[in-house]
């Protein structure tokens, strides 16, 4: 049995935004008790990540690292159609990934005590993002 839906979220610009509650709600609405929840973002300039949800500095540090991997305005970047953050956003998405999967039991996400699901926006300005959630059980 499988169930799928898509929802939209407006990012706040570069940085992380927790979406665990939205994903939990979708999983519960599916009616599937045991299985896997797969979350996929339909964009090439943001990522999804499973990360600690207790200490916000844990989500700041990956952004510091990403500035080293893919700095805005890098003169070596050829693709800059949408500004200095264009190619760096794509590169960060490639490195960080666009999906996560979480086991489901008794209709609930089996996240660890300190885990949350986050949209990691790589563009400097806010963006409308589409997230596909597929629950299989």
């Amino acid at each position: 049995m499988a169930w799928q839906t898509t929802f939209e979220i407006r990012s706040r610009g570069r940085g992380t935004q927790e979406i665990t509650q939205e994903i939990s709600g979708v999983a519960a609405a599916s009616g599937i008790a045991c299985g896997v929840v797969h979350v996929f973002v339909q964009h090439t300039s943001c990522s999804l990540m499973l990360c600690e949800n207790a200490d916000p500095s844990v989500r700041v540090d990956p952004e510091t690292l990403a500035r080293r991997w893919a700095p805005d305005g890098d003169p070596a970047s050829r693709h800059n159609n949408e500004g200095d953050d264009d190619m760096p956003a794509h590169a960060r998405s490639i490195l960080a990934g666009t999906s996560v999967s979480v086991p489901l039991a008794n209709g609930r996400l089996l996240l660890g005590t300190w885990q949350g699901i986050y949209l990691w926006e790589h563009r400097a300005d806010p963006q409308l993002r589409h997230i596909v959630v597929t629950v299989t059980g």
Side-chain angles (χ1 to χ4, degrees):
M1 174 187 239
W3 192 83
Q4 187 175 74
T5 191
T6 301
F7 69 92
E8 295 179 341
I9 188 165
R10 178 157 298 279
S11 73
R12 296 184 291 259
R14 186 168 283 161
T16 61
Q17 192 167 330
E18 188 166 11
I19 58 171
T20 308
Q21 292 299 333
E22 290 89 338
I23 305 305
S24 292
V26 168
S30 75
I32 296 173
C34 180
V36 175
V37 178
H38 182 76
V39 188
F40 174 78
V41 63
Q42 294 181 303
H43 303 276
T44 60
S45 56
C46 63
S47 297
L48 293 173
M49 67 179 190
L50 193 62
C51 191
E52 181 177 322
N53 62 5
D55 181 356
S57 70
V58 172
R59 293 179 306 279
V60 172
D61 289 341
E63 185 58 43
T64 301
L65 293 171
R67 281 195 301 271
R68 293 178 191 161
W69 306 332
D72 289 348
D74 186 339
S77 294
R78 293 181 184 194
H79 178 78
N80 61 4
N81 297 354
E82 298 176 39
D84 284 349
D85 69 341
D86 195 7
M87 189 57 221
H90 294 301
R92 293 170 184 202
S93 175
I94 291 165
L95 293 170
T98 56
S99 66
V100 297
S101 293
V102 179
L104 181 73
N106 299 316
R108 297 179 52 151
L109 298 175
L110 289 180
L111 291 169
T113 302
W114 309 114
Q115 289 181 317
I117 302 170
Y118 291 84
L119 172 68
W120 185 7
E121 179 60 62
H122 301 307
R123 299 304 302 261
D125 294 327
Q127 306 291 320
L128 183 63
R129 299 305 192 179
H130 299 89
I131 298 173
V132 180
V133 182
T134 305
V135 184
T136 306

